[in-house]
């Protein structure tokens, strides 16, 4: 009886491990490329575009930007919704241009992360 | 006490096995990291080449138009799929006059090459630098660079990637090593002496008993010989 329990435990452990690693493989990063540059007001400006490659309209797309200082402290966090009245909802195959500006001084930003929500 | 000792031995064996698997994991991770570095350098070179061509004939501040130019020349999908493991979300384009005037810290030296000692090019966390930065200058008509293309890549997703790719291999290795450890235990296990009824006397005493037996036999034999001779007479 005890042996059967141990066997069952090993099988469950094995299957959980395989499922977990498969989950990691099935979650690649998104296909968004954003260009960063310094604008005329000496602020970081981000521009890029997104194409709806799915077969259904998209009702919500947003980007969250997080900037950190030299010590790892968050100095600016900004969420930008990419859809407005003109392009809501984003139809299949439709292309969306976007750009946004960050208020923090470029010299104080050491690490920046961009998260995409769809 | 007996069970505690057994448990400790098992724990030590498991730690040794895990240490061995971890060494293989670190080796795999380093291979993946080198591959990512190579990819990042090639990617940055490609963007720098396009930036050099574009900004020689166009307004340098119009970067929105540059991303459309990249899309028409290379294709954003191709750009984003160039990174199979972990890709940069942000491609930075900084112009040399902004860098020289100190408006921006691009992490480059006076020759517009990557400065490895710059704080902005490092991100020490979890005992290693988990940020890789690739920087390439781009040129216009002159020898002096017009600016640099900078790409930052996060190494952390590589850890998960390496783990997920080799998960089955690590698991099988763990099982095989445990199996080998058990076989080794069986091989080195001492054979228990069979329980007999002779345990009441020590093995070392048998020799003296045998000598005594020999002497007694000799005495009996001598007495028998004497009595035989008497009978003959």
């Amino acid at each position: 009886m005890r042996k059967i329990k141990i066997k069952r435990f090993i099988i469950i452990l094995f299957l959980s491990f395989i499922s977990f690693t498969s989950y990691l493989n099935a979650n690649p990063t998104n296909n968004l490329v954003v260009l960063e540059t310094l604008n005329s007001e000496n602020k970081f400006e981000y521009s890029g575009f997104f194409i709806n490659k799915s077969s259904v309209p998209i009702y919500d797309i947003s980007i969250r930007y997080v900037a950190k200082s030299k010590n790892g402290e968050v100095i600016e966090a900004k969420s930008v919704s990419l859809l407005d009245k003109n392009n809501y909802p984003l139809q299949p195959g439709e292309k969306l241009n976007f750009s946004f500006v960050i208020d923090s001084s470029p010299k104080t930003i050491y690490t920046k992360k961009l998260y995409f929500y769809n | 006490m007996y069970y505690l000792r057994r448990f400790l031995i098992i724990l030590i064996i498991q730690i040794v096995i895990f240490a061995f698997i971890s060494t293989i994991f670190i080796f795999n991770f380093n291979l993946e990291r080198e591959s990512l570095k190579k990819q990042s350098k090639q990617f940055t070179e490609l963007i720098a080449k396009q930036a050099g061509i574009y900004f020689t004939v166009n307004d340098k501040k119009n970067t929105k138009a540059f991303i459309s130019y990249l899309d028409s020349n290379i294709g954003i999908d191709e750009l984003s799929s160039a990174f199979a493991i972990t890709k940069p979300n942000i491609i930075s384009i900084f112009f040399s006059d902004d860098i020289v005037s100190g408006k921006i810290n691009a992490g480059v030296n006076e020759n517009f090459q990557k400065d490895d000692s710059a704080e902005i090019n490092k991100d020490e966390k979890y005992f290693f630098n988990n940020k890789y930065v690739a920087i390439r200058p781009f040129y216009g008509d002159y020898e002096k660079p017009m600016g640099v293309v900078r790409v930052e890549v996060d190494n952390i997703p590589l850890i998960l990637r390496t783990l997920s790719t080799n998960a089955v291999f690590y698991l099988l290795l763990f099982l095989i090593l445990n199996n080998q450890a058990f076989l080794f235990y069986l091989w080195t296990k001492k054979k228990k002496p069979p329980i007999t009824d002779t345990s009441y006397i020590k093995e070392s005493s048998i020799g003296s008993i045998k000598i005594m037996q020999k002497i007694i036999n000799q005495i009996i034999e001598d007495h028998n010989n004497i009595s035989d001779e008497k009978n003959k007479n």
Side-chain angles (χ1 to χ4, degrees):
Chain A
M1 192 66 189
R2 203 178 162 189
K3 272 186 181 175
I4 293 169
K5 273 187 179 176
I6 293 169
K7 265 187 186 174
R8 198 179 291 166
F9 174 73
I10 290 170
I11 291 167
I12 290 170
L13 194 76
F14 183 82
L15 289 176
S16 318
F17 189 67
I18 299 291
S19 318
F20 173 68
T21 52
S22 310
Y23 168 78
L24 289 176
N25 262 337
N27 281 275
T29 48
N30 63 70
N31 287 329
L32 191 79
V33 174
V34 178
L35 209 67
E36 176 192 61
T37 190
L38 203 67
N39 68 6
S40 52
E41 293 164 356
N42 297 328
K43 301 276 183 193
F44 272 143
E45 185 173 338
Y46 295 88
S47 46
F49 60 81
F50 175 81
I51 304 167
N52 181 8
K53 288 191 164 179
S54 68
S55 55
V56 289
I58 296 175
Y59 294 91
D60 188 24
I61 316 167
S62 60
I63 284 178
R64 183 173 293 166
Y65 174 91
V66 180
K68 289 182 181 178
S69 71
K70 193 178 175 180
N71 304 322
E73 293 159 354
V74 176
I75 50 172
E76 187 166 346
K78 191 171 190 170
S79 286
V80 182
S81 179
L82 303 184
L83 294 176
D84 55 23
K85 284 176 190 172
N86 301 325
N87 49 31
Y88 182 87
L90 194 69
Q91 297 298 332
E94 204 177 342
K95 190 170 151 184
L96 169 75
N97 286 297
F98 65 88
S99 77
F100 60 96
V101 179
I102 295 301
D103 298 325
S104 304
S105 164
K107 285 205 86 175
T108 57
I109 299 172
Y110 275 73
T111 311
K112 50 221 159 190
K113 294 263 182 194
L114 208 58
Y115 303 95
F116 179 74
Y117 298 99
N118 181 8
Chain B
M1 191 65 192
Y2 171 74
Y3 284 107
L4 184 73
R5 223 176 75 179
R6 263 189 145 181
F7 176 75
L8 277 175
I9 291 168
I10 291 168
L11 191 73
I12 290 165
I13 290 169
Q14 295 308 310
I15 289 170
V16 170
I17 290 171
F18 270 114
F20 181 72
I21 294 172
S22 304
T23 312
I24 294 171
F25 168 73
I26 290 167
F27 179 74
N28 287 340
F29 172 66
N30 278 332
L31 279 179
E32 294 265 25
R33 199 161 57 163
E34 287 305 314
S35 165
L36 184 69
K37 279 183 186 179
K38 205 175 167 184
Q39 263 185 333
S40 308
K41 281 179 188 170
Q42 288 171 346
F43 179 80
T44 318
E45 251 175 42
L46 179 73
I47 303 285
K49 198 177 172 186
Q50 295 298 320
I53 297 166
Y54 181 80
F55 290 111
T56 307
V57 289
N58 292 289
D59 176 22
K60 76 168 190 176
K61 293 287 178 188
N62 193 359
T63 44
K64 279 180 199 170
F66 176 61
I67 202 158
S68 298
Y69 172 80
L70 274 181
D71 186 38
S72 59
N73 271 26
I74 305 169
I76 288 295
D77 284 345
E78 282 73 12
L79 269 181
S80 51
S81 61
F83 282 78
I85 305 166
T86 171
K87 65 181 186 63
N89 276 332
I90 302 170
I91 302 165
S92 309
I93 293 182
F94 301 136
F95 293 97
S96 50
D97 49 349
D98 292 333
I99 298 167
V100 172
S101 62
K103 287 178 189 169
I104 197 159
N105 184 5
V108 291
N109 57 20
E110 61 274 10
N111 300 319
F112 294 93
Q113 297 296 324
K114 184 185 168 187
D115 182 7
D116 287 320
S117 60
E119 286 278 343
I120 202 161
N121 293 340
K122 293 178 193 169
D123 187 13
E124 296 281 347
K125 210 176 175 184
Y126 310 121
F127 312 109
F128 71 100
N129 182 17
N130 49 61
K131 178 163 88 173
Y132 177 71
V133 180
I135 298 175
R136 282 282 178 280
F138 59 89
Y139 298 86
D141 294 332
Y142 306 102
E143 276 186 22
K144 197 186 166 193
M146 280 177 80
V148 293
V149 175
R150 180 189 157 92
V151 161
E152 283 181 17
V153 189
D154 194 1
N155 282 329
I156 298 295
L158 269 188
I159 297 175
L160 296 175
R161 169 82 185 183
T162 312
L163 192 68
S164 63
T165 314
N166 303 304
V168 177
F169 167 66
Y170 295 143
L171 196 70
L172 287 175
L173 195 65
F174 177 73
L175 293 174
I176 290 166
L177 287 175
N178 264 300
N179 192 29
Q180 293 299 310
F182 183 67
L183 287 177
F184 185 72
Y185 162 75
L186 285 182
W187 185 48
T188 54
K189 197 179 166 188
K190 279 181 188 169
K191 203 176 177 182
K192 277 188 180 176
I195 300 162
T196 57
D197 292 328
T198 55
S199 55
Y200 56 87
I201 194 160
K202 283 182 180 177
E203 199 68 32
S204 55
S205 307
I206 300 289
S208 55
I209 290 170
K210 278 179 182 172
I211 293 165
M212 282 166 72
Q213 188 193 18
K214 207 176 175 182
I215 293 165
I216 290 164
N217 285 341
Q218 191 68 48
I219 293 166
I220 293 166
E221 203 178 323
D222 287 348
H223 277 268
N224 284 340
N225 288 341
I226 291 166
S227 54
D228 284 349
E229 276 176 17
K230 274 182 181 177
N231 287 335
K232 277 179 186 176
N233 289 333

